[in-house]
Amino acid sequence: MTTETKPDIDIDRSVGDFRYEMDYAFDAGIGLNEATIDYISDVKGDPDWVREFRKEGYRKFLEKPMPTHWATKDLENIVFENIRYYLSQGQVPKRTWDEVPDDIKKTFERLGIPEQERKFLAGVEAQFDSEAAYSNIKAAVGEQGVIFVGSTEGLKEHPEIFKKWFGKVIPSGDNKFSALNSAVFSGGSFIYVPPGVKVKHPLQAYFRINAQNFGQFERTLIIADEGAELTYMEGCTAPKFETATLHSAVVELVAMKGAKIQYITVQNWSSNVFNLVTKRGIAHEDAEVKWIDCNIGSRLTMKYPGVVMKGKGARGEVVSIALAGDGQHQDTGAKMIHAADNTTSNIISKSISLGSGRSTYRGMVHVPKHLKGCKNNTECDALLINSHSRTDTYPAISVRGQGNAVQHEASVSQISAEQIFYMQQRGLSEAAAMSLAVNGFVNDLVQQFPMEYSVELKRLIDLEMEGSVG
Amino acid sequence: MSAPSSSSLSIRDLHASIGDKPILKGLTLDIPKGEVHAIMGKNGAGKSTLAKIMAGHPDYTVTSGDVLLDGESILGIEPDVRARLGLFLAFQYPMEIPGVTIANFIRAALQARLPEGEELEATDYYAKLYSKMDALSVPRNFTSRSVNEGFSGGEKKRCEILQMAMLEPSYAVLDETDSGLDIDALKIVSAGVNALRGPNIGMLVITHYQRLLDYIVPDKVHVMSEGRIIHSGDKDLALKLEAEGYDWVEKEYSAGKSAV
Ligand SMILES: Nc1ncnc2c1ncn2[C@@H]1O[C@H](COP(=O)(O)OP(=O)(O)OP(=O)(O)O)[C@@H](O)[C@H]1O
Ligand SMILES: [Mg+2]
């Protein structure tokens, strides 16, 4: 090999697009069958009920059709036989960065994770391919009884809480990809916040795909007990590969009576990633579940965070920003299931389509007949930048019964050549003018982000715009 | 034709069209630094087109002639580069930029003028912004309003001059900045423009009304018709145009042409 003469990394314009060579101690090989699942269960030392859960998920995965009847045919380009389902160095998540193996640590250092942790986070979990390399929570937060560990550790060390909710918010047979995740899941976070504990600073997870032809299937379960409050943030990146990569997570949230969970995602996948994620939360009486979802990058994202408002007075909210660059498809939206009186849901979605990029909004708001005093507000705004980009809106609002109110607004706008000229006349380059206009379009939503993340988001938008102009 | 001064904004025999339609038909004009020139002319004469072509609007094609900024041609250069070279255009119809606040917009424009890696100093910036806003009687809460969105006609014009005051151009073209202004606003905006006058700036003021030129007294007045300058004079020309209209100039011009 001639690698010595070349730099060991390959930097592109995007911060996440670099990759260090790795040797993996555990590799489930290419393709998926029952033996793959046994291999994963063996490596992870799963209890029997988890092995059974996986096999059940696998059966459902085989049964379920691809959702191509309503979504895109591009899904048919995923070749499940070509994917590697488990890769790790056999690492147990470390509690200090010093213990994290150098080759993994340098990746996260480059992504700025340890620095962010010092500055503003209550805890961090950093996943590299299939397993977390690092997982730590600030002592003060741990002392309040907050549990923040990887899913593997969660199911082993805290089965009494874990088992009660795992797979209950999102049954493994919910859709083909939740079934696939159930079969091969690895990594992701398990969080429990005890009654009345309000975690002041965010907990953060970072998901990094490093290997080619790889599938990342993390599984996150968050439970906020009565009156507890928590903000969780996840970031994700992958380097650019020639071949398709699959990211298919399942995230389940449980907000007990009066609890509040805010779940923030800023994804920046490279343009070869199929990102097919199922996210849903249950909000009990007077509880609140809020998803703030930012989808940048990927080849195809299909993601519709949902809230089941199970208790009276529960609130669900989805705030989403999707940016479909050239050749990308963001198929995103929200599902709001009202299942008790006086429940309120709010959906605000903004999408930006560039070049041949395509954005689709799919919303589902369900209020059954017997309920009273339920409200939904849905706003979706699309911004098109240049003529061949495309946007579709499919709101499915089924509201029955008396005294329930829904409001739906949608708009499509464009950045005009005259606006760009006006901004250029003030000295801004075309790309800077585009960025500014796009940032202006999402500005009111970005305000809802923690500062550090809104800065990151702005930077990502700037990078996308730079790449798309000129 | 006199040679353009190296310290001027100079338009040399400019021909330009949109699609197949010629709009500028041999326009020559020289605005030396330190001077204020006014252009008057009927609707559709091509005044705004001239302004946009100087600023580099992509819809227009220059078929011949040149535009020189301090002796260097700026044709074929991107609009933002021209702006950073010191050319400012106060638009007849300023655009709305939803979600982008005035403060962030002007800040981004100033930031674009700094060398790579250098950051605009925020406190100095706001101090300057507020003082210019006060001078132009722009309420301070405008900093957090989106650029031109929901602004009245007069507010838009005032914000154009605010931007000009902040960006300190070396040449400014003001396209009908007076239209839509009430009497008080006209005085305030004119005072704002006059405050920027000086040896380091050349201005071209496009207007329909002599009244503006009572406040912003021009060194020269030009009459534009069908894509050309057909007559030039001192500030008294504006008074005569106001009193007598454009017909006599056009007649004189065509008589002069047929005599040649
Ligand atoms: N984009 C365009 N497409 C077609 N014709 C155009 C375009 N822009 C300008 N014109 C035409 O060019 C001519 C000059 O227009 P321009 O706006 O420059 O006039 P003006 O002198 O600024 O007029 P006003 O005093 O009404 O502002 C007009 O006949 C106008 O219709
Ligand atoms: Mg005009």
Side-chain angles (χ1 to χ4, degrees):
Chain A
M1 284 223 301
T2 56
T3 42
E4 290 87 346
T5 58
K6 287 184 192 164
D8 63 342
I9 47 167
D10 183 22
I11 310 173
D12 203 329
R13 63 178 179 88
S14 154
V15 169
D17 190 22
F18 65 91
R19 173 172 190 272
Y20 299 100
E21 274 312 314
M22 292 289 300
D23 292 320
Y24 293 97
F26 298 97
D27 181 347
I30 295 168
L32 179 61
N33 52 46
E34 197 117 350
T36 323
I37 291 166
D38 279 322
Y39 180 89
I40 295 171
S41 266
D42 290 344
V43 170
K44 298 179 78 73
D46 281 342
D48 287 347
W49 73 270
V50 174
R51 191 183 295 255
E52 211 17 69
F53 179 88
R54 289 183 187 280
K55 300 235 165 130
E56 171 80 13
Y58 180 57
R59 279 190 294 276
K60 287 179 177 154
F61 166 69
L62 295 177
E63 276 164 35
K64 288 262 165 195
M66 276 287 198
T68 46
H69 56 292
W70 56 271
T72 158
K73 293 266 181 287
D74 192 23
L75 282 174
E76 283 164 5
N77 294 316
I78 302 173
V79 185
F80 291 104
E81 301 84 77
N82 289 353
I83 291 172
R84 299 197 278 176
Y85 289 83
Y86 183 89
L87 283 176
S88 85
Q89 290 188 314
Q91 75 268 31
V92 173
K94 300 298 187 286
R95 298 289 186 233
T96 68
W97 285 105
D98 284 343
E99 296 168 83
V100 175
D102 279 346
D103 40 7
I104 294 180
K105 187 166 66 181
K106 60 188 175 183
T107 292
F108 288 112
E109 273 174 352
R110 222 169 127 168
L111 292 164
I113 311 300
E115 191 192 338
Q116 289 176 8
E117 179 181 17
R118 280 194 300 277
K119 276 197 196 148
F120 68 97
L121 297 170
V124 166
E125 186 188 3
Q127 179 165 340
F128 194 83
D129 294 331
S130 295
E131 296 288 358
Y134 174 84
S135 168
N136 191 32
I137 182 169
K138 294 221 164 116
V141 183
E143 281 157 17
Q144 293 177 290
V146 176
I147 300 168
F148 177 39
V149 294
S151 66
T152 312
E153 194 176 333
L155 68 89
K156 283 186 194 158
E157 307 294 326
H158 309 280
E160 67 298 343
I161 322 173
F162 194 93
K163 254 181 115 164
K164 188 170 170 197
W165 293 107
F166 182 72
K168 300 297 192 309
V169 186
I170 301 171
S172 51
D174 188 84
N175 63 74
K176 192 173 183 75
F177 293 96
S178 64
L180 176 62
N181 176 283
S182 300
V184 296
F185 77 91
S186 181
S189 309
F190 170 68
I191 296 173
Y192 172 76
V193 186
V197 173
K198 296 176 169 54
V199 185
K200 255 192 270 155
H201 298 287
L203 295 174
Q204 177 175 283
Y206 201 92
F207 299 98
R208 172 70 176 174
I209 294 178
N210 188 64
Q212 195 153 1
N213 290 338
F214 175 68
Q216 191 173 52
F217 304 96
E218 86 270 13
R219 180 102 196 183
T220 289
L221 173 60
I222 299 177
I223 297 141
D225 215 325
E226 291 193 5
E229 289 181 17
L230 168 76
T231 296
Y232 178 86
M233 315 201 293
E234 60 171 354
C236 4
T237 55
K240 273 192 199 103
F241 293 120
E242 294 304 312
T243 54
T245 303
L246 178 59
H247 175 255
S248 189
V250 167
V251 178
E252 299 176 286
L253 309 182
V254 181
M256 302 304 286
K257 188 177 174 184
K260 277 188 189 171
I261 301 176
Q262 176 161 285
Y263 191 109
I264 303 171
T265 304
V266 177
Q267 80 171 43
N268 177 27
W269 291 120
S270 53
S271 52
N272 57 318
V273 175
F274 283 95
N275 183 46
L276 310 163
V277 171
T278 311
K279 288 179 164 171
R280 197 170 303 150
I282 290 182
H284 288 95
E285 195 175 330
D286 292 324
E288 182 179 306
V289 170
K290 178 171 183 174
W291 299 97
I292 298 184
D293 205 33
C294 251
N295 298 300
I296 296 177
S298 82
R299 169 169 169 177
L300 168 66
T301 288
M302 287 170 63
K303 196 202 291 179
Y304 322 95
V307 183
V308 180
M309 287 150 277
K310 221 177 165 188
K312 280 186 185 148
R315 290 178 304 281
E317 188 163 6
V318 172
V319 171
S320 76
I321 297 173
L323 200 161
D326 233 347
Q328 301 176 348
H329 185 179
Q330 304 283 3
D331 196 317
T332 60
K335 285 185 185 168
M336 293 296 186
I337 313 295
H338 292 255
D341 289 343
N342 300 321
T343 47
T344 315
S345 61
N346 188 29
I347 302 170
I348 304 176
S349 152
K350 294 209 176 191
S351 69
I352 301 136
S353 312
L354 300 171
S356 60
R358 183 176 162 197
S359 306
T360 307
Y361 167 82
R362 273 174 226 280
M364 203 247 264
V365 177
H366 181 66
V367 183
K369 195 170 179 174
H370 64 277
L371 296 185
K372 295 188 301 288
C374 298
K375 285 193 199 104
N376 166 261
N377 175 55
T378 302
E379 290 168 39
C380 32
D381 299 316
L383 183 69
L384 300 180
I385 298 175
N386 92 34
S387 51
H388 46 278
S389 46
R390 176 172 164 192
T391 182
D392 310 284
T393 303
Y394 305 102
I397 300 181
S398 60
V399 180
R400 301 194 177 79
Q402 306 283 305
N404 296 315
V406 264
Q407 194 178 325
H408 177 78
E409 279 174 41
S411 77
V412 179
S413 52
Q414 297 208 335
I415 297 177
S416 70
E418 293 300 321
Q419 282 171 311
I420 296 298
F421 176 66
Y422 182 75
M423 291 188 267
Q424 280 192 280
Q425 209 302 305
R426 299 307 184 240
L428 298 168
S429 68
E430 190 182 353
M434 285 278 194
S435 284
L436 200 64
V438 169
N439 276 297
F441 174 70
V442 296
N443 187 38
D444 52 340
L445 300 193
V446 172
Q447 305 281 326
Q448 303 198 24
F449 284 59
M451 226 269 282
E452 292 78 7
Y453 266 44
S454 58
V455 170
E456 168 74 359
L457 188 62
K458 186 181 173 309
R459 194 187 60 80
L460 290 176
I461 290 175
D462 290 350
L463 281 173
E464 272 307 312
M465 302 315 296
E466 254 171 47
S468 70
V469 174
Chain B
M1 236 178 262
S2 62
S5 133
S6 69
S7 227
S8 72
L9 179 60
S10 185
I11 302 143
R12 317 306 299 170
D13 194 26
L14 194 63
H15 289 74
S17 46
I18 179 142
D20 299 335
K21 184 182 172 188
I23 298 177
L24 300 187
K25 300 165 186 168
L27 190 140
T28 295
L29 188 63
D30 199 46
I31 304 146
K33 247 185 206 163
E35 292 188 11
V36 173
H37 290 208
I39 287 191
M40 303 183 79
K42 286 183 179 169
N43 295 130
K47 304 180 296 295
S48 294
T49 303
L50 170 66
K52 284 191 251 179
I53 286 172
M54 284 194 281
H57 195 290
D59 283 358
Y60 303 92
T61 318
V62 172
T63 47
S64 67
D66 210 347
V67 179
L68 308 170
L69 196 145
D70 291 337
E72 299 283 339
S73 174
I74 56 170
L75 294 183
I77 296 181
E78 285 296 306
D80 54 304
V81 180
R82 299 185 195 199
R84 295 195 299 270
L85 284 172
L87 183 66
F88 182 89
L89 169 58
F91 284 71
Q92 182 174 2
Y93 304 109
M95 297 305 295
E96 299 184 358
I97 319 287
V100 178
T101 65
I102 300 228
N104 282 345
F105 184 55
I106 299 178
R107 191 175 177 163
L110 284 169
Q111 182 68 49
R113 286 160 169 79
L114 296 179
E116 187 97 26
E118 205 173 300
E119 279 288 320
L120 197 69
E121 224 286 294
T123 36
D124 294 351
Y125 166 68
Y126 276 99
K128 184 172 169 188
L129 181 64
Y130 286 141
S131 86
K132 303 283 183 195
M133 289 175 81
D134 292 350
L136 287 162
S137 300
V138 176
R140 290 210 176 173
N141 64 13
F142 267 57
T143 49
S144 57
R145 287 185 61 177
S146 295
V147 175
N148 295 320
E149 201 181 33
F151 286 19
S152 75
E155 287 166 347
K156 284 183 182 171
K157 297 301 171 74
R158 243 183 279 185
C159 280
E160 292 292 286
I161 302 306
L162 173 65
Q163 292 173 48
M164 172 175 158
M166 291 298 291
L167 299 178
E168 299 176 338
S170 43
Y171 297 98
V173 180
L174 277 52
D175 192 357
E176 294 199 26
T177 301
D178 54 332
S179 55
L181 294 181
D182 62 46
I183 306 279
D184 291 342
L186 182 68
K187 287 182 187 163
I188 292 165
V189 166
S190 303
V193 172
N194 285 331
L196 298 172
R197 276 180 91 154
N200 295 321
I201 185 168
M203 289 193 210
L204 182 61
V205 178
I206 298 169
T207 182
H208 287 293
Y209 305 106
Q210 192 278 328
R211 194 186 56 192
L212 174 72
L213 306 180
D214 283 342
Y215 298 106
I216 304 172
V217 181
D219 297 291
K220 274 196 179 135
V221 175
H222 309 275
V223 179
M224 184 163 173
S225 172
E226 290 181 34
R228 300 181 186 91
I229 300 296
I230 58 166
H231 191 86
S232 299
D234 62 13
K235 63 179 167 40
D236 296 334
L237 176 59
L239 285 169
K240 189 167 175 194
L241 290 169
E242 178 110 327
E244 298 174 28
Y246 292 103
D247 282 357
W248 65 271
V249 204
E250 283 173 2
K251 277 196 194 111
E252 261 184 41
Y253 179 70
S254 36
K257 259 205 323 195
S258 52
V260 171

